[in-house]
Amino acid sequence: MKKLILAAAACLSIAGGAYAQTPNPMKKEQVSINDKVKINYLQSGSGDTTLLFLHGWCINSGYWKDQITHFSNDYNVYAMDLPGFGKSTAEGRTEWTIKEYADDVVGFIKEEKLKNVVVIGHSMSGDIMLHVAMDLPSEVIGLVGVDNFKFVGVEFSPEDMKYLENYFKALESDFAKNAPAYSEKTLFQPSTPAEVKKAVMNDIANTDPTIGYRSLKDLMQGFGSTAELLQKLPLKLYLINSTAEPTYAEGLEANCKNGFQIESVGATGHYPMVESPEVFNSALDNILQSIHQTH
């Protein structure tokens, strides 16, 4: 159960460096969505449907390079850095909350005038995209979570909560040392490529400690409200999840009023889009076909 609770806490992405380089014809751009927030993003392709890829904790937009290449033949594809990660910034921000990130994404969609948007959110960005869908019901036509929403409805024991409390104390005291040490125990599988693991561990250690700690803390403090958000969701929820940690389907059945669908990518680690990109892209292709059939 300790592994499960830490996996829930770390249900966010934690990489970047090795995946920061992206091939042409992707455009690297930056846009200001207000006087304090500047968003760095990648864009490629065109089409009536927009795919907006959101990374999780401490990752950047380059983590989606295989997906941008694959899907830009048929879609208008964007991948943005969340402020505090990659090259995006938020001047004067101190709290780094899920709702603030959702507001950033909403502002980006409005600024770029994106329509018919399918939001694909890895890990922490799953909660972010729920808020985005609520705020932009006319623009967002589909939501796809990546290795997240696995523990909806799960109640943790007092022992688990104590373990989580100690985890956050360790992060607060020495993020660069303790975040990689804890994460190494939960985010990988034997099949995880060595270069992925190396990049993850390096980028955890180099994450801004304040942003890393506070964004994760806010995610976990809002864990209990995820079910309520799902109950209000006006869309079917699609998931692309690893089977290494099983998804608690009963919780999704009880809270996803418009249904849900899980596409499995096998027992990968927490990063299926780079650990098994061909399988991941095939799963997302299937989901996009389903979304198009309902719109």
Side-chain angles (χ1 to χ4, degrees), residues 23-27 43-44 72:
N24 290 326
M26 301 177 199
K27 296 186 296 181
Q43 191 280 327
S44 186
S72 61

Side-chain angles (χ1 to χ4, degrees), residues 80-94:
M80 59 177 282
D81 291 338
L82 297 173
F85 304 116
K87 296 181 180 180
S88 293
T89 59
E91 182 182 351
R93 182 169 296 181
T94 59

Side-chain angles (χ1 to χ4, degrees), residues 223-234:
F223 184 71
S225 64
T226 300
E228 182 180 347
L229 287 173
L230 288 173
Q231 291 170 14
K232 298 177 181 178
L233 186 65

Side-chain angles (χ1 to χ4, degrees), residues 207-228:
T207 295
D208 182 296
T210 298
I211 297 172
Y213 174 79
R214 292 188 179 179
S215 58
L216 178 57
K217 186 78 170 181
D218 186 72
L219 174 68
M220 292 309 297
Q221 286 177 336
F223 184 71
S225 64
T226 300
E228 182 180 347

Side-chain angles (χ1 to χ4, degrees), residues 11 19 60 71 74 95 105 114 157 175 191 197 203 213 218 235:
C11 239
Y19 303 102
N60 63 49
F71 289 100
D74 300 302
E95 295 305 314
V105 177
L114 304 182
S157 69
F175 187 94
S191 62
K197 184 175 181 179
D203 287 303
Y213 174 79
D218 186 72
L235 299 166

Side-chain angles (χ1 to χ4, degrees), residues 18-19 21-23 26 61-70:
Y19 303 102
Q21 300 300 316
T22 53
M26 301 177 199
S61 56
Y63 226 74
W64 299 107
K65 65 186 181 73
D66 289 311
Q67 287 66 51
I68 297 172
T69 300
H70 178 82

Side-chain angles (χ1 to χ4, degrees), residues 283-295:
L284 184 52
D285 271 321
N286 292 339
I287 289 172
L288 293 172
Q289 290 179 21
S290 179
I291 291 174
H292 284 311
Q293 290 172 2
T294 60
H295 286 85

